[in-house]
Amino acid sequence: MCSVSDDLDCLSLTSSGSGTDKSLFHATCKKCRSEPAKVVVQLKEAFCKNCLLLYVNHRFRACLGKSKLIKPKEKILVAVSGSLASATLVDLIHCGLQDTTPKRLMFSPIIVFIDDGAALGLSNEQRLKIFQEMRIMLKNCGLSTFYVPLESVINFEHNDLKEIQSETTLSINECSVSKVRKIFEDLKSVTSKEDLLIKLRNNLLIQSALTLNCSKILTAETGTDLAVKLMSNIVIGRGAHLPLDVGFCDTRCTSVLLLRPLQDVSKKAVAFYVLMKGLKTVFIPAFSSIERKNCSLQKLTENFLVGLHCEFPSTMSTIFRTGEKLSLNPLSPNFGTSSCELCQGPLDIYATESSAYLATQISSAVSKYGKAAINSDGIHVMNHSSERAKNRILSSSCKNEANGTFFNPVCYGCQLILAESNNQIHLLQNSLRKHHNQILRDKMKEEIADFLIE
Amino acid sequence: MASCTSSIPSGEREVSECSSATGGAGKELKVNIEFMGGAEMMFDNQKKLNVTLPPAECKWTIRSLLAYMKVHCAKGGGLERFFTGDSVTPGILCVINDQDWELLDTLNYELEPNDNIIFISTLHGG
């Protein structure tokens, strides 16, 4: 019915040098063959306005339909950030729910906007401005919309979720704001800041979903975003979680699944969708907005890939389609039974011998303690397979131990974040542990469900 | 940053050569420029700009418009986020009268009076 391989059909490895292709000038739409084309979405595929809108809608519906994960009347959380992609997602859902739409969407969506102004260090006035712009943007969609500030992650309570339309001003909890600000200021690199922000945002989304009794979360990550995320996650040491981070469905938390229904749409198609429908968007700066051009590994990867994509228009789809084939093997000896306390992903630190992880551990131990490390406890213990012994090494690698507070084992990617933080990150510990335990309980409940008497 | 500052004079030269050749002949050209997706950050957070281009003998193109914008409109730092060489940074889309610039010869498109030009940044964080 719907093929997603069309992108790859035009796989060409020759440089097209965008724009030099004269055959597209004043072309007619490739699909309806009558209207003048307005946008080149794929290589040599030019669409008119109506065909582009249909194309984006079709890709979205096909992606959701194919997964067969969403049941009628299910409550679904829709994560909105104000970006081009989230404006598109809200509009697609809004149109899909109309009675006049054939094959109407049957689920009931709830929109949640996470205000991460505290982490970005925005002033209260800037945050209020963004909040009001968001209110206007989401006013016409007619869906129930909630707002939750990122600082709630410190101590999430049910009443932190507020109806956006009934609030006129922001109630800012200065204490939490300064804590969040400290946590982020404490991190040295923009790379870790961006990474931590994504993890905290995901935690908050899952908590909001649990509070609002939603069993799924939809995010507006496009194929372009995911291709960039795939490469940058490898770069920042999160390769073990790729299938969760860039796949269609993130199953980290068994009771709330995170789905990415815009994964088959490119960022360009989304931008033109917004433009042609005249949708409102809200621009919220990111960490990289105020820094220099290649300030973080994520941004550097993005600039590199987008640049490459200009020369070789199949870059993004090739990366994404390759990433799509990755899957997680839960039985692999590299994964433990427990999950990371910070990102909830499976722990990738139970390395088998002669693995890359062990190599970095040995290398860092040797550079820290010199020759003595070879025979010291560190390496010795590492060769034992007992989980406790490994935890000991891990906890000693977390700087927070000095403070008497350290996280339970965290995955390799999160260790890198912790290693950069001096002490402030322990402010997160209690809430994350609570959240972590809840997810573990849910998982256990599911496992023993068959043995329970109702 | 170094590449950015060194390319400004060349842009200036291009514009001034273009306009001086005419000696004031020709007409002024008005175009409307709009920014979306964070591209406005490099232009003093103005979402819309009405630019009146000085008379020039050779026709104004997107290429010369970008050179003009680099000198006259861009404010503050971070120019290299928007301009790369004589074009825009990859990831910033250019839409001319609701049409993708790839359908209109990109940089070589010749501007007409009252053209609407929209720059959309699809990059993370603008």
Side-chain angles (χ1 to χ4, degrees), chain A residues 311-343:
Chain A
E311 296 290 323
F312 303 97
S314 313
T315 306
M316 292 297 182
S317 57
T318 310
I319 295 172
F320 177 67
R321 295 280 164 247
T322 312
E324 212 181 28
K325 292 176 185 67
L326 296 168
S327 67
L328 213 61
N329 178 8
L331 300 173
S332 152
N334 289 353
F335 293 116
T337 44
S338 48
S339 52
C340 168
E341 203 169 52
L342 200 68
C343 72

Side-chain angles (χ1 to χ4, degrees), chain A residues 38 268 288-289 291 299, chain B residues 81 99-100 102 122 124-125:
Chain A
K38 292 281 184 192
K268 186 175 181 184
S288 52
S289 309
E291 303 271 344
K299 196 72 196 165
Chain B
R81 291 160 176 281
Q99 203 167 6
D100 190 352
E102 282 182 42
T122 60
H124 177 70

Side-chain angles (χ1 to χ4, degrees), chain A residues 19 22 24-26 37-40 84 267-268 271-272 275 283 286 288-289 291-293 299 302 306-307 310, chain B residues 36-38 40-41 80-81 90-91 93 95 98-100 102-106 118 120-126:
Chain A
K22 303 253 177 198
L24 284 172
F25 297 169
H26 309 290
K38 292 281 184 192
V39 50
V40 187
L84 296 164
K267 207 108 183 232
K268 186 175 181 184
F272 273 87
L275 199 69
F283 172 67
S288 52
S289 309
E291 303 271 344
R292 56 188 199 285
K293 196 178 174 188
K299 196 72 196 165
E302 184 186 27
V306 172
C310 260
Chain B
M36 278 173 79
E40 64 268 24
M41 271 198 312
E80 77 277 15
R81 291 160 176 281
L93 306 175
V95 185
D98 290 333
Q99 203 167 6
D100 190 352
E102 282 182 42
L103 295 164
L104 298 165
D105 208 1
T106 59
I118 308 176
I120 310 173
S121 174
T122 60
L123 298 167
H124 177 70

Side-chain angles (χ1 to χ4, degrees), chain A residues 41-84:
Chain A
V41 174
Q42 290 160 22
L43 194 62
K44 295 189 178 176
E45 297 251 320
F47 287 161
C48 67
K49 181 182 168 179
N50 282 336
C51 291
L52 176 89
L53 299 182
L54 278 175
Y55 161 84
V56 174
N57 193 24
H58 175 77
R59 286 277 162 125
F60 163 73
R61 302 289 293 255
C63 190
L64 271 189
K66 209 170 45 176
S67 73
K68 292 186 182 144
L69 281 169
I70 294 182
K71 297 171 197 79
K73 291 188 181 164
E74 202 170 10
K75 276 169 104 179
I76 309 275
L77 198 81
V78 183
V80 167
S81 68
S83 65
L84 296 164

